[in-house]
Amino acid sequence: MLGQFEDSFLKPKLGNWSGKRFFEATESGVKNKANKFRYIQKQRYMAQFQIKRLLSGGIITNYFCTSGCRHCLYNCGPHWGKKYMDPATAEDHLRLVRSLGCRSVHIGGGEPLLRPDNLGEILEVAGRVGVSIEYVGTNSSWFKDLESAKRILVGYPSLIPENFI
């Protein structure tokens, strides 16, 4: 679900399941029968992990975060670049999520609200695709005072708690 960030968060959990090493055999050609056999075995093994139905999910819009929490599942922090998922990538992933049966996702990262304009684009894409947003995870580092928070959040009425503004 990461678009330009691709499967970087999956590698620690699943090894090189779809990383470059796995597909090098197809690009360079399988040299002998033993390698071809191992390649076919690997394809069959990985087929069992294919996602056929998705009940819930999340989109990581960016890895940059003002915090560097040791418990962060995605290793987000200030050491990452300030890249943000582009709308076309978000649309591709949200359409895929929708095609697998998922109707709502959460947005996380990094800190999605460090770039409110980019978050707004992702929310617009989600609305067009027909995927609702359950919540946006935030560490609230952008929060300075109630008035500045209102100025940021007023653009996202579906995310604002009732009676906040």
Side-chain angles (χ1 to χ4, degrees), residues 15-110:
N16 288 317
W17 71 277
S18 69
K20 290 179 183 168
R21 273 193 250 166
F22 179 72
F23 287 109
E24 281 174 5
T26 59
E27 292 171 6
S28 62
V30 178
K31 304 245 186 252
N32 59 44
K33 287 183 181 181
N35 283 345
K36 186 173 185 175
F37 178 74
R38 281 195 293 273
Y39 175 73
I40 291 169
Q41 274 185 316
K42 210 177 249 189
Q43 281 185 317
R44 288 181 182 156
Y45 175 75
M46 292 314 300
Q48 69 183 326
F49 296 109
Q50 184 179 13
I51 297 172
K52 294 178 177 69
R53 180 141 172 80
L54 188 65
L55 300 177
S56 67
I59 300 268
I60 297 175
T61 57
N62 61 318
Y63 286 99
F64 180 77
C65 181
T66 53
S67 302
C69 304
R70 292 176 56 180
H71 64 273
C72 181
L73 180 64
Y74 307 112
N75 191 29
C76 298
H79 58 278
W80 283 94
K82 295 185 178 184
K83 292 181 182 177
Y84 206 92
M85 180 181 282
D86 62 89
T89 301
E91 184 167 351
D92 289 345
H93 291 299
L94 289 166
R95 286 192 187 283
L96 175 61
V97 164
R98 180 110 165 112
S99 74
L100 293 170
C102 186
R103 301 293 182 247
S104 64
V105 296
H106 67 272
I107 293 180

Side-chain angles (χ1 to χ4, degrees), residues 102-132:
C102 186
R103 301 293 182 247
S104 64
V105 296
H106 67 272
I107 293 180
E111 176 51 71
L113 279 161
L114 288 177
R115 307 262 307 264
D117 293 343
N118 294 104
L119 175 60
E121 291 174 342
I122 303 297
L123 295 175
E124 287 173 20
V125 167
R128 268 197 325 268
V129 171
V131 175
S132 62

